[in-house]
Amino acid sequence: MVCVLLISGCSIWPGQDDSANNKKVTLTLWYWNRSIDDKLIARAKEKFPNIELTAQKIGGDFKAKLKTTLAARSGEPDIVALNDWIMELFPSEDRFYNLYDLGAGDIEDQYLPWKWKQGVTPNGQMIGFPMDTGPTALFYREDLFKEAGLPSDPEDVTRQINSWDAYAAAGEKIKEKFGGKVFLTDNIATVYNQVLSQAAERYFRPDGSFIGMDSPTVRKSWDTAVAFKEKGLLANADGWTPGWNAAMNNGEVASFVGAVWMKQVLQEAAPDTSGKWRVARAPGGDGNNGGSFLSILKSSEHPQEAFELVRWLQSPENQLEQYQTLNLFPSAPGVFDDSAMTEKEPFFGGQATGPVFADSAQQVPDAFFGERYPSVHNIITRRLNDIAKQNANPQQVWTDTVHRVERELQR
Amino acid sequence: MWEHRALYVAISPFYILFAVFGLFPIGFSLYLAFHKWDGIGIMTYNGFNNFKYMLTDAEFWQAVGNTFMIWIYSTIPMLFFALIIAFLLHAPFVKFRTLFRVGYFLPNVTSIVAVAIIFGALFANNYGFLNYLLQSVGLPVVEWLNAPWGIKVAISSMVVWRWTGYNAVIYLAGLQSIPQTLYEAAKIDGASAIQSFFRITIPMLRPVILFTVITSTIGGMQLFTEPQVLVGNDGGAGAAGMTIVLYLYRESFINNYFGYGAAVGWGMFLIIALFSIVNWKLVQGKSS
């Protein structure tokens, strides 16, 4: 706290600007580990000699820290990175600069339109500048697919396993072939999330009204997830647990639909399976999961300088560079054809997975989330877990979930 | 008063700190409990709605139930083992007593997050150590972290592991304060070891037992880190590991209902107060 006060001290006392300091503008940037390349930040300092940049890597619960700071109205950074929970901050749009006012409109055509829209509030204020994205695709074990008599070449997989029904049928084949020792996919939440991520319509309309639990998208996602459980296609390995890592490494899971950043997660979790994985387009369509944004807080005294910095940090060229250094997938389609995106990857048996994700990224449907998306989504995935792990009656859980969501929305 | 102002200045740091970090938050949370606030935007007056919502929320009552179950699962074995350990540590034939005392106290100062990670590895459904043991003796595996009771056992065992030594040290202090002459008199009157345990040791230890029961009650009702690290913010499968404080945390800091979280905090305060009184009456009652 003291540090933050000291650092932002210069901008609090405007009188200091005159005192021979050759008018350097002080800016603070909050980001989390691996969201921006540290070398790029070092280069930004050379590129903008008029800016005294203090980049702070915030550890722990980033969102909680940011919200506490916003609530306290003191010690706020000038620029802050936001994750895909950006919509939770839409009701507080007045705490952020409208990036359109700072000139963001000029470069809008360089970025993926659906990604750009995710940073714009229903009132048309742009509070988040696109950073990386999370286009999804099907990660699968080529050797296991081949052994089960399924298509194993990425292009064949894309063509033949193109719907959730075809994918489930492939799962039945795998189950039969390996006598239940290998599961099609990891857990029920993944299935639900991915079916949902392929649709344009979620839980809310842009005017904030609730579409209802009987919307075709929600029903389809729910029914698909439950069907996967009932057919015994789930390994019940939850993400971000040692159990998931072990299941991947031991070859208990033959595939999963995941975002591009899962490449890194998978490589670290399952080093023993190197060379056996491939990536194809996801069954049922393309979607997006995750990705981040940069925002400029209203408390900043130098929004224009901050915007120039943001614009440079996330320029297509710098996004491409961060794809190479940190595996952050660009949101600027102009660099998708670059040779860096088509490099062969040994973990994926020499396949160049970049183009698969690039194709996916360009097909992601526009989606409106709404600030209550996280709480509704959380209620549903939580209940799905009861079906998957405690064999709860799906019909019962559905009724219960509908009731619970209605209650939540009345608050 | 003014002639003593140096003295008041000298004692003021505590009161100033208490006012800032103790009194103000308590008052503010009461104020907040009657408001709706997402943590950033404006606060709006909400009357008793937060409390109404809490009393009609099935998840809140489930959290209350879970907390009591975990409290029972953990406190009974914990105090039982603590008493036995204290008794052994007090016995004259035990050598290296200081070493043992330090050893039993160590779990209490171990980082709880590290503890939860280790217990997570012990109880994991797949590739967990306990399931490995069960399998190696030919028993079926138990899905500890999927079964409602399994989650509670895992959390309780963490509490037991962490607090048994602490309570043992307190019991030991109690044992050492019992005058040796009482035992000698009993021995002369022909009392057996068991008789003197139940007729002298236990009655003389009652205030200490009361203390440990009350502290375990407060600690047990406030259980948070163990379930949070072991099964996550949602309390694991079927929310079986959702405790009252975990519920409070999720509603305030994950779902951003700060006013509601404050109301839950006050609800929890009432539950702890009532439950402590009940425990106190129970333990006291036996003596009179």
Side-chain angles (χ1 to χ4, degrees):
Chain A
M1 192 62 174
V2 174
C3 285
V4 175
L5 286 177
L6 285 177
I7 289 157
S8 55
C10 299
S11 51
I12 293 174
W13 315 114
Q16 252 189 351
D17 282 3
D18 307 345
S19 63
N21 254 337
N22 61 12
K23 291 201 175 177
K24 262 201 169 186
V25 166
T26 306
L27 290 178
T28 355
L29 162 71
W30 281 11
Y31 66 117
W32 57 87
N33 198 20
R34 302 179 60 86
S35 61
I36 304 175
D37 188 6
D38 296 333
K39 276 183 241 125
L40 187 66
I41 288 175
R43 267 183 34 222
K45 290 177 182 170
E46 291 167 24
K47 169 90 185 165
F48 296 94
N50 62 323
I51 294 175
E52 181 84 41
L53 178 64
T54 314
Q56 294 174 320
K57 215 177 261 184
I58 306 291
D61 192 341
F62 188 91
K63 181 166 79 168
K65 225 164 251 183
L66 173 65
K67 285 192 171 177
T68 321
T69 310
L70 283 171
R73 291 180 183 265
S74 98
E76 294 167 35
D78 296 88
I79 307 168
V80 65
L82 306 175
N83 216 325
D84 58 351
W85 36 262
I86 186 168
M87 61 281 203
E88 285 179 44
L89 294 168
F90 282 1
S92 314
E93 61 188 356
D94 58 319
R95 305 292 301 275
F96 298 88
Y97 276 102
N98 182 355
L99 301 180
Y100 278 132
D101 293 344
L102 301 174
D106 302 344
I107 44 172
E108 183 164 353
D109 57 356
Q110 295 178 15
Y111 296 87
L112 294 163
W114 59 266
K115 170 77 183 181
W116 187 275
K117 280 179 199 152
Q118 284 183 6
V120 181
T121 70
N123 296 334
Q125 294 236 29
M126 182 186 178
I127 68 165
F129 195 91
M131 290 174 81
D132 63 311
T133 62
T136 58
L138 177 71
F139 292 76
Y140 69 96
R141 285 279 299 268
E142 192 236 16
D143 54 333
L144 299 179
F145 268 41
K146 196 180 263 172
E147 232 180 302
L150 294 165
S152 59
D153 180 69
E155 280 177 19
D156 296 339
V157 172
T158 301
R159 218 175 14 254
Q160 291 178 38
I161 306 181
N162 57 359
S163 68
W164 286 94
D165 288 339
Y167 184 47
E172 306 249 38
K173 269 192 164 174
I174 285 172
K175 196 172 113 185
E176 210 173 291
K177 172 74 192 172
F178 297 100
K181 288 207 159 47
V182 177
F183 295 93
L184 175 68
T185 191
D186 51 0
N187 61 61
I188 197 162
T190 306
V191 178
Y192 178 82
N193 282 338
Q194 296 305 337
V195 184
L196 193 72
S197 82
Q198 295 167 351
E201 185 185 57
R202 304 286 152 95
Y203 309 116
F204 298 94
R205 297 186 191 89
D207 63 4
S209 61
F210 183 52
I211 295 170
M213 290 290 285
D214 273 318
S215 92
T217 308
V218 175
R219 274 306 325 208
K220 186 185 172 209
S221 309
W222 177 281
D223 292 342
T224 310
V226 171
F228 270 53
K229 145 74 186 162
E230 283 172 346
K231 288 177 180 159
L233 307 179
L234 307 171
N236 277 347
D238 285 337
W240 318 109
T241 65
W244 190 89
N245 297 357
M248 290 298 160
N249 206 25
N250 296 350
E252 268 179 49
V253 174
S255 68
F256 61 91
V257 179
V260 59
W261 41 263
M262 286 303 286
K263 282 202 310 193
Q264 188 83 20
V265 177
L266 183 63
Q267 287 182 35
E268 282 162 17
D272 295 354
T273 57
S274 177
K276 296 176 180 167
W277 291 88
R278 298 289 183 279
V279 175
R281 297 284 281 281
D286 300 300
N288 178 72
N289 192 351
S292 14
F293 301 86
L294 280 177
S295 289
I296 301 172
L297 288 166
K298 216 38 178 282
S299 56
S300 172
E301 300 204 339
H302 309 286
Q304 202 59 53
E305 286 86 350
F307 179 71
E308 291 312 319
L309 182 69
V310 165
R311 182 179 164 163
W312 181 81
L313 282 173
Q314 298 305 328
S315 69
E317 305 79 58
N318 283 333
Q319 284 200 354
L320 181 68
E321 193 182 311
Q322 294 188 93
Y323 174 73
Q324 291 162 283
T325 52
L326 295 181
N327 245 321
L328 296 171
F329 201 82
S331 51
V335 299
F336 283 177
D337 295 330
D338 194 275
S339 60
M341 301 279 296
T342 54
E343 261 170 43
K344 293 189 179 359
E345 292 154 74
F347 187 85
F348 296 94
Q351 184 193 356
T353 65
V356 181
F357 288 106
D359 288 347
S360 169
Q362 281 159 307
Q363 302 294 324
V364 173
D366 276 349
F368 178 77
F369 288 87
E371 71 253 21
R372 305 195 86 163
Y373 174 90
S375 54
V376 172
H377 189 70
N378 182 260
I379 290 172
I380 296 174
T381 46
R382 219 156 73 205
R383 300 301 159 109
L384 278 169
N385 264 315
D386 294 352
I387 298 176
K389 293 179 184 164
Q390 300 188 318
N391 296 314
N393 177 315
Q395 196 48 50
Q396 180 79 41
V397 176
W398 171 259
T399 319
D400 186 45
T401 310
V402 171
H403 176 73
R404 179 77 210 170
V405 169
E406 276 166 7
R407 228 177 109 77
E408 173 71 22
L409 293 174
Q410 278 161 14
R411 289 219 236 181
Chain B
M1 182 176 167
W2 283 109
E3 61 264 36
H4 299 305
R5 62 171 170 251
L7 295 177
Y8 283 107
V9 169
I11 61 165
S12 64
F14 167 77
Y15 290 97
I16 292 170
L17 286 177
F18 176 71
V20 173
F21 293 105
L23 215 53
F24 173 73
I26 293 171
F28 185 65
S29 77
L30 189 60
Y31 174 79
L32 204 55
F34 292 94
H35 288 77
K36 197 174 169 175
W37 190 41
D38 67 357
I40 304 170
I42 37 166
M43 263 184 230
T44 48
Y45 180 70
N46 203 15
F48 280 93
N49 282 342
N50 286 333
F51 292 98
K52 272 187 211 149
Y53 190 90
M54 176 175 80
L55 294 175
T56 54
D57 191 39
E59 289 189 356
F60 171 73
W61 290 110
Q62 192 193 356
V64 172
N66 287 342
T67 309
F68 275 86
M69 293 298 285
I70 295 170
W71 178 79
I72 290 169
Y73 284 3
S74 59
T75 305
I76 293 171
M78 173 175 82
L79 296 185
F80 177 73
F81 290 136
L83 199 56
I84 292 176
I85 291 165
F87 210 69
L88 290 175
L89 286 178
H90 189 55
F93 58 84
V94 176
K95 295 208 163 54
F96 309 114
R97 275 192 262 179
T98 316
L99 186 74
F100 281 119
R101 280 172 214 175
V102 173
Y104 278 112
F105 201 73
L106 266 184
N108 195 249
V109 292
T110 313
S111 157
I112 184 66
V113 175
V115 176
I117 290 168
I118 299 291
F119 275 73
L122 289 180
F123 283 98
N125 298 328
N126 309 316
Y127 314 107
F129 184 67
L130 283 180
N131 279 343
Y132 170 77
L133 286 184
L134 287 175
Q135 265 180 322
S136 59
V137 294
L139 290 170
V141 299
V142 177
E143 298 219 323
W144 296 100
L145 298 182
N146 284 350
W149 63 271
I151 291 179
K152 294 188 181 83
V153 167
I155 294 169
S156 305
S157 65
M158 252 193 289
V159 178
V160 171
W161 187 82
R162 186 158 178 239
W163 291 100
T164 301
Y166 170 85
N167 286 301
V169 170
I170 290 175
Y171 282 151
L172 182 63
L175 285 174
Q176 285 173 338
S177 70
I178 301 173
Q180 210 51 43
T181 49
L182 286 178
Y183 291 103
E184 281 160 15
K187 211 171 183 180
I188 291 165
D189 289 344
S192 68
I194 292 171
Q195 276 174 322
S196 46
F197 178 78
F198 283 105
R199 298 292 169 86
I200 300 172
T201 312
I202 295 291
M204 293 297 281
L205 271 184
R206 184 161 289 121
V208 181
I209 293 174
L210 181 65
F211 172 79
T212 56
V213 168
I214 298 290
T215 50
S216 318
T217 303
I218 298 171
M221 294 295 115
Q222 295 182 337
L223 198 63
F224 168 69
T225 319
E226 287 90 343
Q228 206 246 356
V229 182
L230 191 71
V231 289
N233 290 332
D234 292 318
M242 174 70 81
T243 62
I244 306 175
V245 187
L246 188 54
Y247 176 77
L248 188 160
Y249 173 80
R250 189 193 67 188
E251 293 300 307
S252 318
F253 297 99
I254 307 293
N255 294 339
N256 302 316
Y257 296 114
F258 285 91
Y260 181 62
V264 174
W266 282 92
M268 192 176 74
F269 168 74
L270 276 182
I271 290 172
I272 293 177
L274 283 176
F275 193 50
S276 298
I277 292 169
V278 169
N279 270 325
W280 179 59
K281 287 279 176 208
L282 279 179
V283 181
Q284 273 298 64
K286 277 181 203 155
S287 69
S288 46

